[in-house]
Amino acid sequence: MAVKFQGKYLDGFVKPEEFNNMNREIELCHNILHQKNGAGNDFLGWLNLPFQYDKTEFEQIKKSAEKIRNDSDVLIVIGIGGSYLGARAAIEFLGSQQYNNLDKNKLKVYFVGNTISPSYLNNILALCEGKELSVNVISKSGTTTEPAIAFRVFKELMEEKYGKEGARERIYVTTDKARGTLKELSNKEGYQTFVIEDDVGGRYSVLTAVGLLPIAAAGFDIDKIMLGAQKACKDFETPGEHNDCYKYATARNILYRKGKSIEIMASYEPNWQMMNEWYKQLYGESEGKDQKGIFPASVIFSTDLHSMGQFIQDGSRNMFETVISFKQAGEDYFVKKDKDNFDGLNFLADQPMSEINKKAMQGTILAHVAGGVPNIVLEVDAMDEENLGYIVYFFEKACAISGYMLGVNPFNQPGVEDYKVNMFALLGKPGYEEQREKLLEQLSK
């Protein structure tokens, strides 16, 4: 398992000596991170998590996941942001929901509480009709609007369907270990609880119960995930030429300082789509502050070559691409020969589709580089649990180092609260009356 940094497509954009000139800065950021004396140092629980995690809780996660799989057709995961993106990204990376739905014996995992859309909620409720259900609600406080609304709905549904006692056995709560509305309710109702650690922020929490319970319930091996994360943790424990995680952090910051303020994460595997979404939260929420930061965007090729490809090839030259390439993506398929060759594709006959996909990737990279877009390639061995754990830790640590290089706190998110104040005021939440009057006046103009 590995993620290998390839910088050959940076030729003409970044000189080799520029990497060398950043060595002192990388070492400084590494020391700040590992000595835990930088901004946000109270949120570094993820740093050694692959080795220093609660083994007792880990075993309970596996037991609860097995119970869910044995007594349920559907698991409803309630959360927003880091409380759901990591789990959903991992599940779709390891075995996309669209394929799981074809297997009637597999548990379906649906995610709610990440939107306030009534049509989305009603669609999920319709999918639950006649099914055996379990619920995993994930929230540190229990009062975040989107998941709180969803949990109110599904708590009522579960109690109507199974009664108070039956619902208690099917509701799993991942929350603060000692305080908060959701913790108090769990103590009162007797729900099985798992802990959101105080020193692990939501977007860094994939390798905690936040991500691991849904992933395990979906049928994936979380022991292997942790093994992959452990290898990454060891591989990136020191700076140096061998550290591909730091090379990635360095390259993106060099490009940013040259005016490349947009990073487009690209993959040629559709199962990477939600990993793109997780990456966008991880980097957007970590770096986008103090009027600085690289804007994280994403595409899935070759699909998006027929839409976004035009802009990337010929549009504004303020971007670079990071391409996720897999040595082995899964079972292959061979294009067959057609006797009439009606579509002119017999030149592809007997070639594995993976090779066709690879040539599409190589051709696109060369075209985009020629068009003035630097490309970073991150090569991953395979799409499996061990590589997933490795990938998660790779991006988490690169994000922390990159944030410190940028001169921001990679672990806070002060801007996230601004919309909530306005939303609460407009909805008439007690205590927001003065703000409500100001906003209504603005909206009336």
Side-chain angles (χ1 to χ4, degrees):
M1 74 210 80
V3 177
K4 294 296 183 184
F5 173 89
Q6 295 181 2
K8 62 182 179 180
Y9 299 112
L10 295 176
D11 290 351
F13 301 102
V14 180
K15 298 175 183 177
E17 55 264 33
E18 290 183 81
F19 277 91
N20 296 332
N21 293 340
M22 299 286 277
N23 287 342
R24 179 69 186 118
E25 187 174 344
I26 280 286
E27 186 175 343
L28 177 63
C29 292
H30 171 86
N31 290 337
I32 289 172
L33 182 65
H34 281 265
Q35 293 169 12
K36 300 184 178 181
N37 56 12
N41 57 48
D42 49 344
F43 282 96
L44 295 179
W46 60 272
L47 188 58
N48 298 309
L49 181 66
F51 292 101
Q52 299 175 5
Y53 61 92
D54 187 329
K55 309 301 191 297
T56 301
E57 181 178 70
F58 190 83
E59 291 304 314
Q60 185 57 53
I61 288 171
K62 291 193 286 187
K63 289 179 182 177
S64 294
E66 185 178 5
K67 179 179 180 298
I68 292 168
R69 289 180 61 77
N70 287 336
D71 66 16
S72 303
D73 304 309
V74 171
L75 171 64
I76 297 295
V77 179
I78 301 173
I80 194 168
S83 295
Y84 97 99
L85 266 176
R88 183 171 179 181
I91 290 169
E92 296 202 14
F93 172 78
L94 295 170
S96 177
Q97 283 292 105
Q98 61 180 313
Y99 308 129
N100 286 351
N101 285 340
L102 298 177
D103 186 345
K104 295 181 180 178
N105 296 320
K106 285 195 175 182
L107 178 82
K108 309 300 186 297
V109 183
Y110 300 129
F111 294 87
V112 300
N114 49 70
T115 174
I116 315 177
S117 165
S119 59
Y120 179 84
L121 178 61
N122 280 314
N123 286 338
I124 297 297
L125 288 169
L127 290 171
C128 292
E129 289 182 9
K131 307 293 185 182
E132 298 298 329
L133 308 176
S134 289
V135 170
N136 176 207
V137 56
I138 307 166
S139 175
K140 194 161 183 65
S141 66
T143 58
T144 303
T145 306
E146 293 90 341
I149 291 173
F151 184 50
R152 175 177 285 203
V153 171
F154 278 93
K155 180 176 180 293
E156 180 181 5
L157 173 64
M158 296 292 281
E159 290 177 354
E160 287 178 356
K161 185 177 178 70
Y162 298 108
K164 276 258 186 185
E165 292 294 325
R168 177 181 299 127
E169 299 300 316
R170 291 172 172 270
I171 294 176
Y172 302 83
V173 177
T174 308
T175 190
D176 191 273
K177 60 184 169 184
R179 58 189 180 274
T181 299
L182 198 50
K183 178 60 177 175
E184 292 173 6
L185 178 67
S186 299
N187 291 342
K188 176 184 174 184
E189 299 290 348
Y191 300 144
Q192 171 71 58
T193 59
F194 298 95
V195 174
I196 300 176
E197 297 291 349
D198 290 337
D199 59 355
V200 180
R203 57 191 180 274
Y204 290 85
S205 67
V206 186
L207 302 177
T208 72
V210 171
L212 294 179
L213 179 58
I215 294 168
F220 300 110
D221 191 332
I222 60 174
D223 286 299
K224 290 182 178 179
I225 290 173
M226 296 307 288
L227 282 174
Q230 287 167 7
K231 185 174 188 305
C233 188
K234 292 183 72 174
D235 284 354
F236 308 135
E237 64 185 354
T238 57
E241 180 62 28
H242 65 283
N243 194 320
D244 283 17
C245 174
Y246 287 10
K247 289 179 189 176
Y248 170 57
T250 301
R252 61 197 308 276
N253 274 274
I254 291 173
L255 291 168
Y256 175 67
R257 295 171 193 184
K258 291 174 179 279
K260 305 296 185 182
S261 58
I262 298 172
E263 178 178 22
I264 301 175
M265 182 74 70
S267 177
Y268 289 71
E269 290 296 333
N271 282 22
W272 185 263
Q273 185 167 350
M274 287 307 300
M275 290 295 291
N276 272 339
E277 298 305 311
W278 173 73
Y279 141 80
K280 286 192 285 191
Q281 187 201 0
L282 179 63
Y283 283 79
E285 201 170 43
S286 296
E287 292 188 323
K289 54 199 70 164
D290 303 333
Q291 288 75 56
K292 294 187 286 188
I294 300 169
F295 183 84
S298 66
V299 289
I300 294 294
F301 291 152
S302 60
T303 303
D304 290 333
L305 286 174
H306 296 259
S307 54
M308 293 297 292
Q310 170 62 40
F311 193 102
I312 296 169
Q313 187 68 50
D314 287 336
S316 304
R317 302 296 78 180
N318 58 349
M319 66 184 71
F320 65 96
E321 288 177 274
T322 296
V323 179
I324 309 299
S325 173
F326 295 95
K327 287 184 180 179
Q328 181 181 349
E331 186 177 358
D332 221 322
Y333 188 91
F334 287 79
V335 177
K336 295 178 182 179
K337 191 171 184 176
D338 183 87
K339 63 182 179 64
D340 297 322
N341 195 25
F342 71 96
D343 50 14
L345 293 180
N346 273 355
F347 73 98
L348 299 176
D350 300 322
Q351 291 194 51
M353 192 170 278
S354 61
E355 187 64 20
I356 300 170
N357 201 27
K358 181 179 178 181
K359 296 307 180 189
M361 179 187 75
Q362 292 172 337
T364 302
I365 290 172
L366 292 173
H368 288 178
V369 168
V373 179
N375 268 242
I376 297 166
V377 176
L378 300 177
E379 187 177 70
V380 182
D381 286 343
M383 300 180 75
D384 58 23
E385 287 98 333
E386 290 184 43
N387 278 283
L388 172 70
Y390 197 101
I391 289 165
V392 167
Y393 192 85
F394 175 97
F395 279 115
E396 287 179 349
K397 193 163 194 187
C399 184
I401 293 292
S402 187
Y404 280 144
M405 293 178 77
L406 190 62
V408 301
N409 178 351
F411 308 110
N412 68 351
Q413 53 280 338
V416 172
E417 300 302 314
D418 292 356
Y419 89 92
K420 295 180 182 179
V421 172
N422 287 350
M423 180 177 70
F424 292 153
L426 291 170
L427 288 170
K429 185 173 181 177
Y432 291 80
E433 291 81 6
E434 185 176 344
Q435 178 74 358
R436 175 181 168 81
E437 293 302 319
K438 292 179 181 177
L439 294 177
L440 289 176
E441 183 179 347
Q442 290 178 39
L443 291 172
S444 67
K445 292 180 179 178

